[in-house]
Amino acid sequence: MTELIQRAPLSQILHIATASLAHASPVLSAAITAGFRESGVQSLKNLNDPNALPMVAIRSAGLALESIVGVVRHQPDGSSRSEEEQDDSEVDEITEALVDEEYLETLVQIANERFEANTERIRRFEENLFGGKSKEEDQWEDTEERKERKRREGLAKRAALKAHGGGRV
């Protein structure tokens, strides 16, 4: 039996849970615009259900790199082994390189270039998603936090109007 030795990194997927389909849409748009073309929206429920909580899956296989670099040949028990190999109980497979060192170096160079391209995609995705704002500037606020902020803003506005002689608010 012969097995191939293959260097193929698994594609990675970033899942982002969103509050609604309306929230999922700009996240998906930012991902696709940044170059993550295989991204999509999924949910275990109907996406039109207000309780759906759509999941945006950000993925890209466009920069994948696969290459067969060797084989492992398994020796059947006792067959075609030399006397030296039969004495060594651990020898039951032979690993054989199919490419030379120069080819491996070329693969490493290509892989590094693809990592750089992917890093640039991630940067563009962040920029598209946050619109150039720092993450701290655009924090998510839940319903209670928003209600409290709106109450404070309303009270401050009322106080400002009263201070300037404005009538009813």
Side-chain angles (χ1 to χ4, degrees), residues 53-74:
L53 297 176
M55 184 80 61
V56 179
I58 300 170
R59 59 183 162 248
S60 178
L63 296 175
L65 175 65
E66 290 188 39
S67 180
I68 297 171
V69 295
V71 294
V72 177
R73 299 186 196 283
H74 295 276

Side-chain angles (χ1 to χ4, degrees), residues 146-165:
R146 183 174 190 279
K147 190 187 297 182
E148 180 59 29
R149 180 179 56 80
K150 288 292 195 178
R151 188 184 74 75
R152 282 192 316 269
E153 289 172 359
L155 291 173
K157 185 176 181 181
R158 177 183 286 167
L161 285 172
K162 263 188 177 178
H164 292 332

Side-chain angles (χ1 to χ4, degrees), residues 119-135:
T119 300
E120 176 59 22
R121 282 184 182 180
I122 292 168
R123 187 199 61 72
R124 285 193 315 258
F125 171 64
E126 277 187 337
E127 189 174 296
N128 293 343
L129 188 60
F130 297 113
K133 299 178 189 174
S134 72
K135 293 173 192 162

